[in-house]
Amino acid sequence: MQLVRQKEQKETAGARFAATEPRSARPRRDGRSPSPRGGRYAAALAALLVAAVASGCASGAGGSEGAPGHGRPGGHGEHGLAAPGAPDGQREGGAGTLSYAEQTRRTQAARAVAAKKWGLASTPLAAPPAPAVKPGITNRKGFEIADEEEGENLPPVFTTVPVKDRVVFLTMDDGSEKDPDLLRMMTELKIPYTAFLSDYVINDDYGYFKRMQDRGVTIQNHTLNHPYLPGLSYEEQRTEICDQQDKLGKRYGKRPALFRPPYGNYNHDTLRAAKSCGVRAVPLWSAEAYPDHMEWREWDRDLHPGDIVLTHFRGREDWKGTMPDMIRHAMKVITDKGYAVARLEDYV
């Protein structure tokens, strides 16, 4: 995996370039009104009514850059990036509601347009509804802690969620590159992802990740300063993990439930410290995405149901491409192999 860039000056431990997102385009107003006479007035009124109905329907089929659909009830709960599940109590064909199938159809139609706009090879596949009951997560074999005491119940470490559906989960680490095109691209494509953030590279622009959160992305913990945790004492590890829990909770309104150790390195103290400040699980990864290739953990160099895909917030300074380039390549691999991207927090 690619190591995180360390800053030359610790006191300004942010990304070298912090881009801000341009304002959303506003509807143009030319000041002209339709003629109030005869058929032209009736036609204009009818057009306005059709537009209003279409707008109301669209609001139930997923978010846009200006209105991400955040907080809508359904299978995907608090995010508006992927096709939401049917709201509680909704009946297919009921007045004023859309069935899950119709929501998915509309979302996929919008995705097809966005995929063409952003240069994807094909339209991302639709994920199934989120499971009513989350699968049980246990340690991956070989990733256990040898000195874990009976009854400690430390957070499980895993690289794949145990599911049968052909879904994978996209995760992005650290936060050094703040590309506004990524926000627009992922919102328009309605691709869910999870951000594991380190404070030392996000503290020059917390607002970028708030805008990301407002689009439905869940913010999770990747330590304060991205150190090699096994080289630290228990108390030092606890500071790195728990203080970041506090910072993210204060900034984004919720303390993370998930934690990813830098470089994927951890020991008994890491998991003890993480548990002490509310971490429930430690997802690692099965594959890593770059703008021009994939790297694989598994011997067969392939994807499997429930695999977690890692990538980083990076740009041309570190990569042979931009973050949108990385998404284009990763989604081609994922889609060509017959997988959809689902929301990790719906399963863990």
Side-chain angles (χ1 to χ4, degrees), residues 300-322:
D300 59 357
R301 299 177 60 80
D302 203 356
L303 289 175
H304 313 86
D307 276 357
I308 299 170
V309 178
L310 163 70
T311 190
H312 289 82
F313 290 92
R314 294 285 188 273
R316 291 190 181 278
E317 187 173 328
D318 299 285
W319 275 349
K320 296 178 181 178
T322 64

Side-chain angles (χ1 to χ4, degrees), residues 228-308:
Y228 174 70
L229 289 174
L232 304 181
S233 68
Y234 170 78
E235 288 301 331
E236 289 170 330
Q237 292 197 53
R238 195 172 188 282
T239 295
E240 283 288 337
I241 300 167
C242 297
D243 284 12
Q244 180 69 337
Q245 290 282 93
D246 294 340
K247 279 180 176 285
L248 294 176
K250 181 178 180 180
R251 290 282 176 180
Y252 302 111
K254 186 175 182 180
R255 288 166 63 85
L258 306 181
F259 164 68
R260 175 173 285 159
Y263 317 109
N265 296 129
Y266 60 95
N267 61 13
H268 187 209
D269 283 345
T270 309
L271 302 185
R272 286 177 55 225
K275 180 182 177 181
S276 76
C277 48
V279 169
R280 292 191 291 102
V282 179
L284 298 184
W285 61 92
S286 291
E288 184 169 0
Y290 293 86
D292 57 345
H293 72 284
M294 297 283 287
E295 293 185 357
W296 308 94
R297 183 188 295 273
E298 308 300 338
W299 65 271
D300 59 357
R301 299 177 60 80
D302 203 356
L303 289 175
H304 313 86
D307 276 357
I308 299 170

Side-chain angles (χ1 to χ4, degrees), residues 5 30 40 60 76 107 117 147 152 158 179 201 204 225 247 249 256 275 296-297 299 334 340:
R5 267 189 298 136
D30 57 14
R40 284 182 295 174
H76 289 270
T107 296
K117 170 184 174 180
D147 53 353
E152 274 191 299
F158 57 101
D179 187 342
V201 285
D204 63 340
N225 299 297
K247 279 180 176 285
K275 180 182 177 181
W296 308 94
R297 183 188 295 273
W299 65 271
I334 291 168

Side-chain angles (χ1 to χ4, degrees), residues 7-24:
K7 285 298 293 178
E8 291 81 9
Q9 296 182 358
K10 188 174 182 180
E11 64 272 18
T12 60
R16 185 173 300 173
F17 300 104
T20 57
E21 183 184 17
R23 294 180 181 178
S24 301

Side-chain angles (χ1 to χ4, degrees), residues 137-289:
I137 305 294
T138 58
N139 283 305
R140 174 172 172 162
K141 187 176 181 180
F143 285 61
E144 308 92 339
I145 294 297
D147 53 353
E148 180 177 352
E149 298 177 6
E150 186 175 354
E152 274 191 299
N153 296 321
L154 297 177
V157 181
F158 57 101
T159 62
T160 300
V161 177
V163 297
K164 294 181 179 179
D165 292 328
R166 292 182 69 82
V167 297
V168 296
F169 307 99
L170 183 61
T171 63
M172 300 185 192
D173 279 9
D174 63 64
S176 62
E177 183 75 10
K178 303 167 183 67
D179 187 342
D181 280 346
L182 177 72
L183 294 181
R184 290 190 289 271
M185 181 182 196
M186 299 300 273
T187 302
E188 292 175 17
L189 288 169
K190 306 185 191 306
I191 298 175
Y193 59 106
T194 298
F196 288 86
L197 302 181
S198 293
D199 188 69
Y200 85 108
V201 285
I202 70 170
N203 62 14
D204 63 340
D205 192 358
Y206 290 120
Y208 175 85
F209 300 97
K210 182 63 174 69
R211 293 191 292 278
M212 185 174 288
Q213 183 189 43
D214 289 343
R215 285 156 173 77
V217 176
T218 303
I219 304 300
Q220 304 289 6
N221 190 333
H222 199 46
T223 71
L224 288 173
N225 299 297
H226 206 275
Y228 174 70
L229 289 174
L232 304 181
S233 68
Y234 170 78
E235 288 301 331
E236 289 170 330
Q237 292 197 53
R238 195 172 188 282
T239 295
E240 283 288 337
I241 300 167
C242 297
D243 284 12
Q244 180 69 337
Q245 290 282 93
D246 294 340
K247 279 180 176 285
L248 294 176
K250 181 178 180 180
R251 290 282 176 180
Y252 302 111
K254 186 175 182 180
R255 288 166 63 85
L258 306 181
F259 164 68
R260 175 173 285 159
Y263 317 109
N265 296 129
Y266 60 95
N267 61 13
H268 187 209
D269 283 345
T270 309
L271 302 185
R272 286 177 55 225
K275 180 182 177 181
S276 76
C277 48
V279 169
R280 292 191 291 102
V282 179
L284 298 184
W285 61 92
S286 291
E288 184 169 0

